[in-house]
Amino acid sequence: MAIQLPDSDLVDKLVYANRILYDHGIVDGLGHVSVRHPTEPGVFLLSCNRAPAMVRRQDIVCYDFDGNTVSDSTERPYLERFIHAEMYRARPDVMSVVHSHSMSVIPFAITKHALKPVFHMSSFLGAGSAHFEIRDAGGDTDMLIRDKHLGEALARSLGDCNCVLMRGHGSTVVGGSIEAAVFRAIYTEINARLQLEAQGLGEITFLNGEEARLATEMNEGQLPRSWNLWIKRLGNVDLDQ
């Protein structure tokens, strides 16, 4: 029996999330964002294989944690849906996942330098980002997380962090809501850019653990301000087009 999509508000949020991430340059023709199904255990929502800026309501599909389509859809899925599936399987606290290739993050991923919070808006980075080396899990590959095994390895690398950098590829961030995951994806890129710029000036004073915790609590309570602004930036959009 096919799984039904949840209420339209959550589907709309997921469509908006795709378009917001494109609007901020976090994704282009590639990259994706998902959300855990609120009432069906072991199921998440993700667009079919579509450029994020072009995702519509009718493109949202339900998948199980093995990457199988479980709602009524014959559309081609994203190859890397296993990123999302295994994050949800490994981390019950995660409600939304963003995978992207934003440019300022790549230097940290290829050098194994951790992203650490340089200001309060990126406090979710806490003690730093995690790193994933795909060669350790799959040898020489096309760098994509295209099966359960690689997805599991990526989730293990994430551990308790909120961001994992993927060497030669990009990053994946997680959050307790769509709004939080989108916020974190945007500010992961901003933090990377600022950290790169600051390194040329001298030693960086990062947020310490308690500062990061307190700032994260504050930011979580302010998410609607940013989310509503980002939707307004999109203008009058038709989520069916």
Side-chain angles (χ1 to χ4, degrees):
M1 182 176 177
I3 299 294
Q4 298 298 309
L5 290 169
D7 67 85
S8 60
D9 286 348
L10 187 63
V11 171
D12 286 358
K13 277 187 179 181
L14 186 54
V15 176
Y16 274 124
N18 277 275
R19 299 187 184 198
I20 289 167
L21 290 166
Y22 174 74
D23 185 51
H24 282 75
I26 305 304
V27 297
D28 47 23
L30 304 172
H32 22 83
V33 53
S34 67
V35 64
R36 189 188 291 268
H37 198 296
T39 60
E40 294 287 345
V43 176
F44 64 97
L45 280 63
L46 177 70
S47 172
C48 62
N49 197 318
R50 190 87 66 207
M54 300 175 66
V55 169
R56 307 161 299 172
R57 289 186 178 107
Q58 55 266 41
D59 296 324
I60 304 303
V61 181
C62 294
Y63 297 95
D64 66 22
F65 288 179
D66 292 321
N68 300 309
T69 302
V70 293
S71 57
D72 289 326
S73 176
T74 58
E75 295 287 345
R76 178 185 175 194
Y78 288 123
L79 289 173
E80 292 192 291
R81 60 196 182 278
F82 302 99
I83 292 176
H84 305 265
E86 297 305 326
M87 292 296 179
Y88 293 125
R89 195 197 305 269
R91 290 274 299 272
D93 61 306
V94 168
M95 296 295 130
S96 185
V97 177
V98 176
H99 170 63
S100 68
H101 314 137
S102 61
M103 293 297 101
S104 300
V105 173
I106 303 298
F108 292 91
I110 61 179
T111 60
K112 296 187 177 181
H113 277 75
L115 279 172
K116 297 181 181 180
V118 299
F119 73 145
H120 67 298
M121 301 299 286
S122 57
S123 59
F124 60 88
L125 290 170
S129 56
H131 280 81
F132 174 65
E133 174 52 74
I134 195 169
R135 288 178 188 159
D136 294 340
D140 293 339
T141 67
D142 62 4
M143 313 304 291
L144 300 185
I145 309 299
R146 58 169 60 244
D147 59 35
K148 182 178 186 294
H149 170 70
L150 292 174
E152 288 176 338
L154 179 64
R156 283 196 301 272
S157 293
L158 175 70
D160 294 329
C161 295
N162 294 314
C163 172
V164 57
L165 309 184
M166 305 159 72
R167 195 267 306 165
H169 189 164
S171 65
T172 298
V173 301
V174 299
S177 66
I178 294 178
E179 296 92 332
V182 169
F183 179 96
R184 290 174 176 183
I186 290 170
Y187 281 102
T188 292
E189 168 65 16
I190 292 172
N191 192 93
R193 188 163 63 245
L194 293 174
Q195 193 170 335
L196 284 169
E197 292 173 356
Q199 285 173 352
L201 299 176
E203 183 178 356
I204 300 173
T205 301
F206 298 101
L207 271 65
N208 64 32
E210 184 63 5
E211 288 172 332
R213 185 187 69 80
L214 292 170
T216 297
E217 288 182 1
M218 180 275 298
N219 286 331
E220 291 290 321
Q222 299 295 322
L223 287 173
R225 285 178 58 181
S226 296
W227 180 259
N228 292 334
L229 173 64
W230 296 335
I231 289 178
K232 186 176 179 64
R233 270 178 50 124
L234 296 176
N236 295 321
V237 296
D238 185 343
L239 300 186
D240 292 318
Q241 297 294 326

